[in-house]
Amino acid sequence: QVQLVESGGGSVQAGGSLRLSCAASGRTASMYAMGWFRQAPGKEREFVAVTSWSGAAQYYADSVKGRFTISRDSAKNTVHLQMNSLKPEDTAVYYCAANALKDYTNYVSWGSWGQGTQVTVSS
């Protein structure tokens, strides 16, 4: 099993930027994909972005495309989410996940989860 720890959340004004990080440990040799989800109060967990560990494939939700960038640092077993042009609608707890089995946009497809980090965007 892979253990994940998110960091980098905080509070920013609309139009600002944040960079989230997710460090993986445990059975990292088996890691083949990592992604980000978010969950706002009263909402279901929402897909944000995913990358293959090789970096060959990256996909984004339409709501963040062009503003967010997912990347990975293989040497540190870490994935990042660079969030630019933040909007109040981006306010949520952000979770990283590892090893989707099939449909990466569905949270139940992922095998490992971090504890989440809060992102708050004020207008």
Side-chain angles (χ1 to χ4, degrees):
Q1 196 173 50
V2 176
Q3 288 77 51
L4 306 171
V5 179
E6 302 98 333
S7 62
S11 181
V12 298
Q13 291 184 318
S17 298
L18 283 174
R19 181 176 170 86
L20 306 184
S21 298
C22 177
S25 61
R27 296 173 57 191
T28 56
S30 65
M31 193 163 57
Y32 55 86
M34 294 185 71
W36 290 93
F37 285 72
R38 65 188 182 185
Q39 188 164 18
K43 302 290 186 179
E44 293 190 342
R45 200 168 300 180
E46 175 190 23
F47 168 74
V48 176
V50 63
T51 181
S52 62
W53 195 239
S54 69
Q58 297 174 341
Y59 302 98
Y60 299 88
D62 288 341
S63 59
V64 306
K65 195 173 300 182
R67 300 188 297 121
F68 291 10
T69 303
I70 189 170
S71 62
R72 86 276 187 269
D73 184 340
S74 298
K76 297 182 177 181
N77 289 324
T78 300
V79 65
H80 303 282
L81 185 68
Q82 179 66 46
M83 305 185 295
N84 298 327
S85 301
L86 283 163
K87 306 174 181 179
E89 306 93 274
D90 296 319
T91 296
V93 176
Y94 283 70
Y95 300 89
C96 64
N99 293 339
L101 294 175
K102 294 181 288 185
D103 181 9
Y104 58 80
T105 65
N106 189 340
Y107 76 92
V108 303
S109 296
W110 293 82
S112 300
W113 292 91
Q115 83 289 347
T117 186
Q118 177 70 47
V119 171
T120 302
V121 184
S122 60
S123 60

